[in-house]
Coordinates of all heavy atoms in Angstrom, one line a residue:
M1 N 0.8 -1.1 -0.1 CA 0.0 0.1 0.0 C 0.9 1.2 0.0 O 1.9 1.2 0.7 CB -0.9 0.0 1.2 CG -1.8 1.3 1.3 SD -2.7 1.4 2.9 CE -4.0 0.4 2.6
V2 N 0.5 2.2 -0.7 CA 1.3 3.5 -0.8 C 0.4 4.5 -0.2 O -0.8 4.7 -0.4 CB 1.5 3.9 -2.1 CG1 2.1 5.3 -2.3 CG2 2.3 2.8 -2.9
S3 N 1.0 5.3 0.7 CA 0.3 6.4 1.4 C 0.9 7.8 1.0 O 2.2 7.9 1.0 CB 0.5 6.3 2.9 OG -0.1 7.4 3.7
V4 N 0.1 8.7 0.6 CA 0.6 10.0 0.2 C -0.2 11.0 1.1 O -1.3 11.2 1.0 CB 0.4 10.4 -1.3 CG1 0.9 11.7 -1.6 CG2 1.1 9.3 -2.2
V5 N 0.5 11.6 2.1 CA -0.2 12.6 2.9 C 0.7 13.9 2.7 O 1.8 14.0 3.0 CB -0.2 12.3 4.3 CG1 -0.8 13.4 5.2 CG2 -0.9 11.0 4.5
G6 N 0.0 14.9 2.1 CA 0.7 16.2 1.9 C -0.3 17.3 2.2 O -0.9 17.3 3.2
R7 N -0.3 18.2 1.3 CA -1.1 19.4 1.5 C -2.7 19.1 1.6 O -3.4 19.7 2.4 CB -1.0 20.3 0.3 CG -1.8 21.5 0.2 CD -1.4 22.4 -0.9 NE -2.3 23.6 -1.0 CZ -2.3 24.4 -2.0 NH1 -1.6 24.1 -3.1 NH2 -3.1 25.5 -2.0
Y8 N -3.1 18.1 0.9 CA -4.5 17.5 0.9 C -4.5 16.3 1.8 O -4.0 15.3 1.5 CB -5.0 17.3 -0.5 CG -4.8 18.5 -1.4 CD1 -3.7 18.5 -2.3 CD2 -5.6 19.6 -1.2 CE1 -3.6 19.6 -3.2 CE2 -5.3 20.7 -2.0 CZ -4.4 20.7 -2.9 OH -4.2 21.8 -3.8
L9 N -5.0 16.5 3.0 CA -5.0 15.4 4.0 C -6.0 14.3 3.9 O -6.0 13.3 4.7 CB -5.0 16.0 5.4 CG -4.0 17.0 5.8 CD1 -4.2 17.6 7.1 CD2 -2.6 16.4 5.7
E10 N -6.9 14.4 2.9 CA -7.9 13.4 2.8 C -7.3 12.1 2.4 O -6.3 12.0 1.6 CB -8.9 13.8 1.7 CG -9.8 15.0 2.0 CD -10.7 14.6 3.3 OE1 -11.2 13.4 3.2 OE2 -10.9 15.5 4.1
H11 N -7.9 11.0 2.8 CA -7.5 9.7 2.4 C -8.2 9.4 1.0 O -9.3 9.7 0.8 CB -7.8 8.6 3.4 CG -7.3 9.0 4.8 ND1 -6.0 8.8 5.1 CD2 -7.8 9.4 5.9 CE1 -5.8 9.1 6.3 NE2 -6.8 9.6 6.9
S12 N -7.5 8.5 0.3 CA -8.1 8.1 -1.0 C -9.3 7.4 -0.8 O -9.5 6.6 0.1 CB -7.1 7.4 -1.8 OG -7.6 7.0 -3.0
R13 N -10.3 7.6 -1.7 CA -11.5 6.9 -1.7 C -11.7 6.3 -3.1 O -12.7 6.1 -3.6 CB -12.6 7.8 -1.4 CG -12.7 8.1 0.0 CD -13.4 9.4 0.4 NE -13.7 9.6 1.7 CZ -12.7 10.2 2.6 NH1 -11.5 10.6 2.1 NH2 -12.9 10.4 3.8
L14 N -10.6 6.0 -3.7 CA -10.6 5.3 -5.0 C -9.9 3.9 -4.8 O -8.8 3.9 -4.2 CB -9.7 6.1 -6.0 CG -10.1 7.6 -6.1 CD1 -9.1 8.3 -7.0 CD2 -11.5 7.8 -6.8
Y15 N -10.4 2.8 -5.4 CA -9.9 1.6 -5.2 C -9.7 0.9 -6.5 O -10.5 0.8 -7.3 CB -10.7 0.8 -4.2 CG -10.9 1.4 -2.8 CD1 -12.0 2.2 -2.7 CD2 -9.9 1.4 -2.0 CE1 -12.2 3.0 -1.4 CE2 -10.0 2.1 -0.7 CZ -11.2 2.9 -0.4 OH -11.3 3.5 0.7
L16 N -8.5 0.3 -6.7 CA -8.2 -0.7 -7.8 C -8.1 -2.0 -7.4 O -7.4 -2.3 -6.4 CB -7.0 -0.2 -8.5 CG -6.8 1.2 -9.1 CD1 -5.5 1.5 -9.7 CD2 -7.9 1.5 -10.1
F17 N -8.6 -3.0 -8.2 CA -8.3 -4.4 -7.9 C -7.8 -5.0 -9.1 O -8.5 -5.8 -9.9 CB -9.7 -5.0 -7.5 CG -10.2 -4.4 -6.2 CD1 -11.3 -3.5 -6.2 CD2 -9.7 -4.9 -5.0 CE1 -11.8 -2.9 -5.1 CE2 -10.3 -4.3 -3.7 CZ -11.3 -3.3 -3.8
G18 N -6.5 -4.8 -9.3 CA -5.8 -5.5 -10.4 C -6.3 -4.8 -11.8 O -7.2 -4.2 -12.0
E19 N -5.5 -5.2 -12.8 CA -5.8 -4.7 -14.1 C -7.1 -5.4 -14.7 O -7.0 -6.6 -14.8 CB -4.5 -5.0 -15.2 CG -4.6 -4.3 -16.4 CD -4.6 -2.7 -16.3 OE1 -3.8 -2.2 -15.4 OE2 -5.3 -2.0 -17.0
G20 N -8.1 -4.6 -15.0 CA -9.3 -5.1 -15.5 C -10.2 -5.8 -14.5 O -11.2 -6.3 -14.8
E21 N -9.8 -5.7 -13.2 CA -10.5 -6.4 -12.2 C -11.6 -5.4 -11.5 O -12.4 -5.9 -10.7 CB -9.6 -6.9 -11.1 CG -8.7 -8.1 -11.6 CD -9.5 -9.3 -12.1 OE1 -10.5 -9.6 -11.4 OE2 -9.1 -9.8 -13.1
G22 N -11.5 -4.1 -11.7 CA -12.4 -3.2 -11.1 C -11.8 -2.0 -10.5 O -10.7 -2.0 -10.0
T23 N -12.5 -0.9 -10.8 CA -12.1 0.4 -10.2 C -13.4 1.0 -9.5 O -14.4 0.9 -10.0 CB -11.7 1.4 -11.3 OG1 -10.6 0.9 -12.0 CG2 -11.3 2.7 -10.7
Y24 N -13.2 1.3 -8.2 CA -14.3 1.7 -7.4 C -14.1 3.1 -6.8 O -13.0 3.5 -6.4 CB -14.6 0.7 -6.3 CG -15.1 -0.6 -6.8 CD1 -14.2 -1.5 -7.3 CD2 -16.4 -0.9 -6.9 CE1 -14.6 -2.8 -7.8 CE2 -16.8 -2.2 -7.3 CZ -15.9 -3.0 -7.8 OH -16.3 -4.3 -8.3
L25 N -15.2 3.9 -6.6 CA -15.3 5.2 -5.9 C -15.9 4.8 -4.6 O -17.0 4.1 -4.7 CB -15.9 6.3 -6.6 CG -15.4 6.5 -8.1 CD1 -16.2 7.6 -8.7 CD2 -13.9 6.9 -7.9
S26 N -15.5 5.3 -3.4 CA -16.2 4.9 -2.2 C -16.5 6.2 -1.4 O -15.9 7.2 -1.5 CB -15.1 4.1 -1.4 OG -15.7 3.7 -0.1
S27 N -17.5 6.0 -0.4 CA -17.8 7.1 0.4 C -16.8 7.2 1.6 O -16.9 8.2 2.4 CB -19.2 6.9 1.0 OG -19.3 5.6 1.8
A28 N -16.0 6.2 1.8 CA -15.0 6.3 3.0 C -13.6 5.7 2.6 O -13.5 4.8 1.7 CB -15.5 5.5 4.2
D29 N -12.7 6.0 3.3 CA -11.3 5.3 3.1 C -11.4 4.0 3.9 O -12.4 3.7 4.6 CB -10.2 6.3 3.6 CG -10.5 6.8 5.1 OD1 -10.7 5.8 6.0 OD2 -10.4 8.0 5.3
L30 N -10.4 3.3 4.0 CA -10.3 2.0 4.6 C -9.8 2.0 6.0 O -9.2 1.1 6.5 CB -9.6 1.0 3.8 CG -10.2 0.6 2.5 CD1 -9.4 -0.4 1.7 CD2 -11.7 0.0 2.7
M31 N -10.0 3.1 6.7 CA -9.7 3.2 8.1 C -10.6 2.3 8.9 O -11.8 2.3 8.6 CB -9.7 4.6 8.6 CG -8.9 5.7 7.8 SD -7.1 5.5 8.1 CE -7.1 6.2 9.7
S32 N -10.1 1.6 9.9 CA -11.0 0.7 10.7 C -12.2 1.4 11.3 O -13.2 0.7 11.4 CB -10.2 0.0 11.8 OG -9.6 1.0 12.7
R33 N -12.1 2.6 11.7 CA -13.3 3.3 12.2 C -14.4 3.4 11.2 O -15.6 3.6 11.5 CB -13.0 4.7 12.7 CG -12.6 5.7 11.6 CD -12.3 7.1 12.1 NE -12.0 8.0 11.0 CZ -10.7 8.3 10.6 NH1 -9.8 8.0 11.4 NH2 -10.6 9.2 9.5
N34 N -14.0 3.3 9.8 CA -15.1 3.3 8.8 C -15.6 2.0 8.4 O -16.6 1.9 7.7 CB -14.6 4.1 7.5 CG -14.2 5.5 7.8 OD1 -14.9 6.1 8.6 ND2 -13.2 6.1 7.2
T35 N -14.8 1.0 8.8 CA -15.2 -0.4 8.3 C -15.7 -1.3 9.3 O -16.3 -2.4 9.1 CB -14.0 -1.1 7.7 OG1 -12.9 -1.2 8.6 CG2 -13.4 -0.3 6.5
T36 N -15.7 -0.9 10.7 CA -16.3 -1.6 11.7 C -17.5 -1.1 12.3 O -18.2 -1.9 12.9 CB -15.1 -1.9 12.8 OG1 -14.8 -0.6 13.3 CG2 -14.0 -2.7 12.3
R37 N -17.7 0.1 12.3 CA -18.9 0.7 13.0 C -19.8 1.5 12.1 O -20.7 2.2 12.6 CB -18.4 1.6 14.1 CG -17.6 0.9 15.2 CD -17.1 1.9 16.2 NE -16.2 2.8 15.7 CZ -15.0 3.1 16.2 NH1 -14.6 2.5 17.2 NH2 -14.2 4.0 15.6
R38 N -19.6 1.5 10.8 CA -20.4 2.3 9.9 C -20.8 1.6 8.7 O -20.2 0.5 8.3 CB -19.6 3.6 9.4 CG -19.2 4.5 10.4 CD -18.3 5.6 9.8 NE -17.7 6.5 10.8 CZ -16.9 7.5 10.6 NH1 -16.6 7.8 9.3 NH2 -16.5 8.2 11.5
V39 N -21.7 2.0 8.0 CA -22.2 1.4 6.7 C -21.6 2.4 5.7 O -22.0 3.6 5.7 CB -23.7 1.3 6.6 CG1 -24.2 0.7 5.2 CG2 -24.2 0.4 7.6
E40 N -20.8 1.9 4.8 CA -20.2 2.8 3.7 C -20.7 2.1 2.4 O -21.0 1.0 2.3 CB -18.7 2.9 3.8 CG -18.2 3.4 5.2 CD -18.6 5.0 5.4 OE1 -19.1 5.6 4.4 OE2 -18.3 5.5 6.4
A41 N -20.5 2.8 1.3 CA -20.8 2.3 0.0 C -19.6 2.6 -1.0 O -19.0 3.5 -0.8 CB -22.1 3.2 -0.5
A42 N -19.6 1.6 -1.9 CA -18.6 1.8 -2.9 C -19.4 1.5 -4.3 O -20.1 0.6 -4.3 CB -17.4 0.8 -2.8
A43 N -19.0 2.2 -5.3 CA -19.6 2.0 -6.6 C -18.5 1.7 -7.7 O -17.5 2.5 -7.6 CB -20.5 3.2 -7.0
P44 N -18.8 0.8 -8.6 CA -17.9 0.6 -9.6 C -17.8 1.8 -10.7 O -18.8 2.4 -10.9 CB -18.3 -0.7 -10.3 CG -19.8 -0.7 -10.0 CD -19.9 0.0 -8.7
V45 N -16.7 2.0 -11.2 CA -16.6 3.0 -12.3 C -16.7 2.1 -13.5 O -15.9 1.3 -13.9 CB -15.1 3.7 -12.3 CG1 -15.0 4.6 -13.4 CG2 -14.9 4.3 -11.0
T46 N -17.8 2.5 -14.2 CA -18.2 1.7 -15.4 C -17.8 2.4 -16.8 O -17.8 1.7 -17.8 CB -19.6 1.3 -15.4 OG1 -20.4 2.4 -15.4 CG2 -19.9 0.3 -14.2
D47 N -17.7 3.7 -16.8 CA -17.4 4.5 -18.0 C -15.9 4.2 -18.2 O -15.0 4.5 -17.3 CB -17.6 5.9 -17.7 CG -17.4 6.7 -18.9 OD1 -18.2 6.8 -19.8 OD2 -16.2 7.2 -19.0
P48 N -15.5 3.7 -19.4 CA -14.1 3.5 -19.8 C -13.2 4.6 -19.7 O -12.1 4.5 -19.2 CB -14.2 2.9 -21.2 CG -15.6 2.4 -21.3 CD -16.5 3.2 -20.5
E49 N -13.6 5.8 -20.1 CA -12.9 7.0 -20.1 C -12.5 7.4 -18.6 O -11.4 7.8 -18.3 CB -13.4 8.1 -20.9 CG -12.7 9.5 -20.8 CD -11.2 9.3 -21.3 OE1 -10.9 8.5 -22.2 OE2 -10.3 10.1 -20.7
L50 N -13.6 7.4 -17.8 CA -13.4 7.8 -16.4 C -12.5 6.9 -15.7 O -11.6 7.1 -14.9 CB -14.8 7.8 -15.8 CG -14.7 8.2 -14.2 CD1 -14.1 9.6 -14.1 CD2 -16.2 8.3 -13.7
E51 N -12.6 5.6 -16.1 CA -11.7 4.5 -15.5 C -10.3 4.8 -15.8 O -9.4 4.7 -15.1 CB -12.1 3.1 -15.8 CG -11.2 2.1 -15.0 CD -11.8 0.7 -15.2 OE1 -12.5 0.4 -16.1 OE2 -11.3 -0.2 -14.5
R52 N -10.0 5.1 -17.1 CA -8.7 5.4 -17.5 C -8.2 6.7 -16.7 O -7.0 6.7 -16.3 CB -8.7 5.8 -19.0 CG -8.6 4.6 -19.9 CD -8.2 4.9 -21.3 NE -9.4 5.5 -22.0 CZ -10.4 4.8 -22.5 NH1 -10.6 3.6 -22.4 NH2 -11.4 5.5 -23.0
R53 N -9.0 7.7 -16.6 CA -8.5 8.9 -15.8 C -8.3 8.5 -14.3 O -7.2 9.1 -13.8 CB -9.7 10.0 -15.9 CG -9.9 10.6 -17.2 CD -10.9 11.6 -17.2 NE -10.7 12.7 -16.4 CZ -11.6 13.6 -16.1 NH1 -12.9 13.5 -16.6 NH2 -11.4 14.5 -15.1
V54 N -9.0 7.8 -13.7 CA -8.8 7.3 -12.3 C -7.5 6.5 -12.3 O -6.7 6.8 -11.4 CB -10.1 6.5 -11.7 CG1 -9.7 5.9 -10.4 CG2 -11.2 7.4 -11.6
R55 N -7.3 5.6 -13.2 CA -6.1 4.9 -13.1 C -4.8 5.7 -13.4 O -3.7 5.5 -12.8 CB -6.1 3.7 -14.2 CG -7.1 2.7 -13.6 CD -7.2 1.4 -14.6 NE -7.9 0.4 -14.0 CZ -7.6 -0.5 -13.2 NH1 -6.2 -0.7 -13.0 NH2 -8.3 -1.5 -12.7
R56 N -5.0 6.8 -14.1 CA -3.9 7.7 -14.4 C -3.6 8.5 -13.1 O -2.5 8.7 -12.8 CB -4.3 8.7 -15.5 CG -3.2 8.9 -16.5 CD -3.5 9.8 -17.7 NE -4.6 10.6 -17.6 CZ -5.8 10.5 -18.4 NH1 -5.8 9.4 -19.3 NH2 -6.8 11.2 -18.3
M57 N -4.5 8.8 -12.4 CA -4.4 9.5 -11.1 C -3.7 8.5 -10.1 O -2.7 9.0 -9.4 CB -5.7 9.8 -10.4 CG -6.4 11.0 -11.0 SD -8.1 11.1 -10.1 CE -8.9 12.3 -11.3
F58 N -4.0 7.2 -10.1 CA -3.3 6.3 -9.3 C -1.8 6.2 -9.7 O -0.9 6.2 -8.7 CB -3.9 4.9 -9.5 CG -4.9 4.6 -8.4 CD1 -6.3 4.8 -8.6 CD2 -4.6 4.1 -7.2 CE1 -7.1 4.5 -7.6 CE2 -5.4 3.8 -6.2 CZ -6.8 3.9 -6.5
R59 N -1.5 6.2 -11.0 CA -0.1 6.0 -11.3 C 0.6 7.3 -10.9 O 1.8 7.1 -10.4 CB -0.1 5.9 -12.9 CG -0.4 4.4 -13.3 CD 0.0 4.3 -14.8 NE -0.7 5.2 -15.7 CZ -1.8 4.9 -16.2 NH1 -2.6 3.8 -15.8 NH2 -2.4 5.7 -17.1
T60 N 0.1 8.4 -11.0 CA 0.7 9.6 -10.5 C 1.0 9.6 -9.0 O 2.1 9.9 -8.5 CB -0.2 10.9 -10.8 OG1 -0.4 11.0 -12.2 CG2 0.4 12.1 -10.2
L61 N 0.0 9.1 -8.2 CA 0.2 9.1 -6.8 C 1.2 8.0 -6.4 O 2.0 8.1 -5.5 CB -1.2 8.8 -6.1 CG -2.1 10.0 -6.1 CD1 -3.4 9.6 -5.5 CD2 -1.5 11.2 -5.3
F62 N 1.1 6.8 -7.1 CA 2.1 5.7 -6.8 C 3.5 6.1 -7.1 O 4.4 5.5 -6.6 CB 1.7 4.5 -7.7 CG 0.5 3.7 -7.1 CD1 -0.1 2.8 -7.8 CD2 0.0 4.0 -5.8 CE1 -1.1 2.2 -7.3 CE2 -1.1 3.3 -5.3 CZ -1.8 2.3 -6.1
S63 N 3.7 7.1 -8.1 CA 5.0 7.4 -8.4 C 5.5 8.6 -7.6 O 6.7 9.0 -7.7 CB 5.1 7.8 -9.9 OG 4.3 8.9 -10.1
D64 N 4.8 9.1 -6.6 CA 5.2 10.2 -5.7 C 6.4 9.7 -4.9 O 6.4 8.7 -4.1 CB 4.0 10.5 -4.7 CG 4.2 11.8 -4.0 OD1 5.4 11.9 -3.3 OD2 3.4 12.7 -3.9
N65 N 7.5 10.5 -5.0 CA 8.8 10.2 -4.3 C 9.2 11.4 -3.4 O 10.3 11.5 -3.0 CB 9.9 9.9 -5.2 CG 10.2 10.9 -6.3 OD1 9.7 12.0 -6.2 ND2 11.0 10.5 -7.2
V66 N 8.1 12.2 -3.2 CA 8.3 13.5 -2.3 C 7.6 13.2 -0.9 O 8.1 13.2 0.1 CB 7.8 14.8 -2.9 CG1 7.9 15.9 -1.9 CG2 8.7 15.0 -4.2
K67 N 6.3 12.9 -1.1 CA 5.4 12.7 0.0 C 5.0 11.2 0.3 O 4.4 10.8 1.2 CB 4.2 13.5 0.0 CG 4.3 14.9 0.0 CD 4.8 15.5 1.3 CE 4.9 17.0 1.3 NZ 5.4 17.6 2.6
G68 N 5.3 10.3 -0.7 CA 4.9 8.9 -0.8 C 5.6 8.1 0.3 O 6.7 8.3 0.6
R69 N 4.8 7.3 1.0 CA 5.3 6.3 2.0 C 4.8 4.9 1.5 O 3.6 4.8 1.1 CB 4.8 6.6 3.4 CG 5.1 8.0 3.8 CD 6.5 8.2 4.3 NE 6.8 9.5 4.9 CZ 7.0 10.6 4.3 NH1 6.9 10.6 3.0 NH2 7.3 11.7 5.0
L70 N 5.7 3.9 1.7 CA 5.2 2.6 1.4 C 4.9 1.8 2.7 O 5.8 1.7 3.5 CB 6.4 1.8 0.5 CG 6.1 0.4 0.1 CD1 5.0 0.3 -0.9 CD2 7.3 -0.2 -0.5
Q71 N 3.7 1.2 2.8 CA 3.4 0.5 4.0 C 4.1 -0.9 4.0 O 3.8 -1.7 2.9 CB 1.9 0.4 4.3 CG 1.6 -0.2 5.6 CD 0.1 -0.2 5.9 OE1 -0.6 -0.3 4.9 NE2 -0.3 -0.3 7.1
R72 N 4.8 -1.3 5.0 CA 5.4 -2.7 5.0 C 4.4 -3.6 5.7 O 3.5 -3.2 6.2 CB 6.7 -2.6 5.9 CG 7.7 -1.6 5.4 CD 8.9 -1.6 6.4 NE 10.0 -1.0 5.8 CZ 11.1 -0.5 6.5 NH1 11.1 -0.8 7.7 NH2 12.0 0.0 5.9
S73 N 4.7 -4.9 5.5 CA 3.8 -5.9 6.1 C 3.5 -5.9 7.5 O 2.6 -6.3 8.0 CB 4.3 -7.3 5.6 OG 5.6 -7.5 6.2
D74 N 4.5 -5.2 8.3 CA 4.4 -5.1 9.8 C 3.6 -3.9 10.0 O 3.5 -3.6 11.4 CB 5.7 -5.1 10.4 CG 6.6 -3.9 10.1 OD1 6.2 -3.0 9.3 OD2 7.7 -3.9 10.6
G75 N 3.2 -3.0 9.1 CA 2.4 -1.8 9.4 C 3.2 -0.6 9.5 O 2.6 0.4 9.5
S76 N 4.5 -0.7 9.5 CA 5.4 0.5 9.5 C 5.4 1.1 8.1 O 5.1 0.4 7.1 CB 6.7 0.1 10.1 OG 7.4 -0.7 9.3
Y77 N 5.9 2.3 8.0 CA 6.0 2.9 6.7 C 7.4 3.3 6.4 O 8.2 3.7 7.2 CB 5.1 4.3 6.8 CG 3.8 4.0 6.7 CD1 3.0 3.9 7.8 CD2 3.1 3.9 5.4 CE1 1.6 3.6 7.7 CE2 1.8 3.7 5.4 CZ 0.9 3.5 6.5 OH -0.3 3.4 6.5
L78 N 7.8 3.2 5.1 CA 9.2 3.5 4.6 C 9.0 4.7 3.7 O 8.2 4.6 2.7 CB 9.7 2.2 3.9 CG 11.0 2.5 3.1 CD1 12.2 2.7 4.2 CD2 11.3 1.3 2.3
H79 N 9.7 5.7 3.9 CA 9.7 6.9 3.0 C 10.1 6.5 1.6 O 11.1 5.9 1.5 CB 10.5 8.1 3.6 CG 10.3 9.3 2.7 ND1 11.5 9.8 1.9 CD2 9.4 10.2 2.5 CE1 11.1 10.7 1.2 NE2 9.9 11.1 1.7
R80 N 9.4 6.9 0.6 CA 9.8 6.6 -0.7 C 10.7 7.7 -1.3 O 10.3 8.5 -2.1 CB 8.6 6.4 -1.7 CG 7.8 5.2 -1.2 CD 6.6 5.1 -2.1 NE 7.1 4.6 -3.5 CZ 6.3 4.7 -4.5 NH1 5.2 5.1 -4.5 NH2 6.9 4.1 -5.7
A81 N 12.0 7.7 -0.8 CA 13.0 8.8 -1.1 C 13.2 8.8 -2.6 O 13.2 7.7 -3.3 CB 14.2 8.5 -0.4
A82 N 13.4 10.0 -3.1 CA 13.7 10.2 -4.6 C 15.0 9.5 -4.9 O 16.0 9.9 -4.3 CB 13.6 11.6 -4.9
D83 N 15.0 8.6 -5.7 CA 16.3 8.0 -6.1 C 16.6 8.4 -7.6 O 17.4 7.8 -8.3 CB 16.2 6.4 -6.1 CG 14.9 5.8 -6.6 OD1 14.0 6.5 -6.6 OD2 14.8 4.7 -6.9
S84 N 16.0 9.5 -8.0 CA 16.3 10.1 -9.3 C 16.2 11.6 -9.1 O 15.9 12.0 -8.1 CB 15.3 9.6 -10.4 OG 14.1 10.3 -10.1
E85 N 16.7 12.3 -10.1 CA 16.7 13.8 -10.1 C 15.2 14.2 -10.2 O 15.0 15.5 -9.9 CB 17.6 14.4 -11.1 CG 19.1 14.0 -10.8 CD 20.0 14.7 -11.8 OE1 19.6 15.5 -12.6 OE2 21.2 14.2 -11.9
T86 N 14.4 13.5 -10.7 CA 13.0 13.9 -11.0 C 12.2 13.7 -9.8 O 11.9 12.6 -9.4 CB 12.4 13.1 -12.2 OG1 13.2 13.3 -13.4 CG2 11.0 13.7 -12.5
L87 N 11.8 14.9 -9.2 CA 10.8 14.7 -8.0 C 9.4 14.8 -8.4 O 9.0 15.5 -9.2 CB 11.2 15.9 -7.1 CG 12.5 16.0 -6.4 CD1 12.6 17.3 -5.6 CD2 12.9 14.7 -5.7
V88 N 8.6 13.8 -7.9 CA 7.2 13.7 -8.2 C 6.4 14.0 -6.9 O 6.5 13.1 -6.0 CB 6.9 12.3 -8.8 CG1 5.5 12.2 -9.1 CG2 7.7 12.1 -10.0
N89 N 5.7 15.0 -6.9 CA 4.8 15.3 -5.7 C 3.4 15.1 -6.3 O 2.9 16.0 -7.0 CB 4.9 16.7 -5.3 CG 4.2 17.0 -4.1 OD1 3.0 16.6 -3.9 ND2 4.6 17.9 -3.2
G90 N 2.7 13.9 -6.2 CA 1.6 13.5 -6.7 C 0.4 14.4 -6.5 O -0.4 14.8 -7.5
Q91 N 0.2 14.9 -5.3 CA -0.9 15.7 -4.9 C -0.8 17.0 -5.7 O -1.8 17.6 -6.2 CB -1.0 16.0 -3.4 CG -1.5 14.8 -2.8 CD -1.8 15.1 -1.2 OE1 -1.4 16.2 -0.8 NE2 -2.4 14.1 -0.5
E92 N 0.4 17.7 -5.7 CA 0.5 18.9 -6.4 C 0.5 18.7 -7.9 O -0.2 19.6 -8.6 CB 2.0 19.4 -6.1 CG 2.2 19.9 -4.7 CD 1.3 21.0 -4.1 OE1 1.0 21.9 -4.9 OE2 0.7 20.9 -3.1
M93 N 0.8 17.6 -8.5 CA 0.6 17.4 -10.0 C -0.9 17.3 -10.2 O -1.3 17.9 -11.2 CB 1.3 16.2 -10.4 CG 2.8 16.3 -10.3 SD 3.7 14.7 -10.8 CE 3.2 14.6 -12.5
L94 N -1.7 16.6 -9.4 CA -3.1 16.5 -9.7 C -3.9 17.8 -9.4 O -4.9 17.9 -9.9 CB -3.7 15.3 -8.8 CG -3.1 14.0 -9.1 CD1 -3.7 12.9 -8.1 CD2 -3.6 13.5 -10.5
A95 N -3.3 18.6 -8.5 CA -4.0 19.9 -8.1 C -4.0 20.8 -9.4 O -5.0 21.6 -9.4 CB -3.4 20.5 -7.0
I96 N -3.0 20.7 -10.2 CA -2.9 21.6 -11.3 C -3.7 21.2 -12.6 O -3.8 21.8 -13.6 CB -1.5 21.9 -11.7 CG1 -0.7 20.7 -12.1 CG2 -0.8 22.7 -10.5 CD1 0.7 21.1 -12.7
L97 N -4.3 19.9 -12.5 CA -4.9 19.4 -13.7 C -6.2 20.0 -13.9 O -7.0 20.4 -13.1 CB -5.0 17.9 -13.7 CG -3.8 17.1 -13.7 CD1 -4.0 15.7 -13.5 CD2 -3.1 17.4 -15.0

């Protein structure tokens, strides 16, 4: 799992399940407070163009090497430090679109 917390503190409410397996928009993030004590809804993205746009957003956020953190299997996070000269701040890139 990749976590990007920057200027926009909202948690993602977009979910991908493999290539061609489904893209969903949800009313909540996957924090336990939302999955154990509330009823939340998720809806599939069925429009092909919208699904392409959502997947492009994911690729941008997954490539973030400024604010991005990679969650390890033990629950800890590892900073995704920039290992190239090109800095990618996913939230800032999406904010200007």
Side-chain angles (χ1 to χ4, degrees):
M1 174 188 283
V2 175
S3 172
V4 178
V5 178
R7 179 177 179 189
Y8 307 102
L9 298 177
E10 290 295 320
H11 303 289
S12 177
R13 286 155 173 86
L14 308 171
Y15 302 98
L16 298 180
F17 297 98
E19 192 64 41
E21 298 295 321
T23 302
Y24 293 81
L25 305 177
S26 175
S27 63
D29 55 53
L30 291 178
M31 304 287 285
S32 60
R33 67 174 181 261
N34 296 330
T35 60
T36 59
R37 297 181 297 234
R38 300 179 186 177
V39 175
E40 301 290 353
V45 177
T46 57
D47 180 87
E49 177 55 30
L50 181 56
E51 184 171 18
R52 279 190 290 279
R53 289 177 61 191
V54 169
R55 287 183 176 266
R56 228 177 10 250
M57 289 177 192
F58 265 96
R59 283 193 298 277
T60 299
L61 291 172
F62 285 164
S63 65
D64 189 309
N65 59 11
V66 174
K67 299 288 186 177
R69 308 285 188 274
L70 180 64
Q71 185 178 28
R72 297 176 174 169
S73 59
D74 66 1
S76 65
Y77 287 89
L78 174 67
H79 183 256
R80 297 181 69 194
D83 46 338
S84 71
E85 292 183 16
T86 304
L87 297 178
V88 177
N89 185 325
Q91 288 187 352
E92 293 300 319
M93 290 176 71
L94 292 174
I96 61 172
L97 294 179

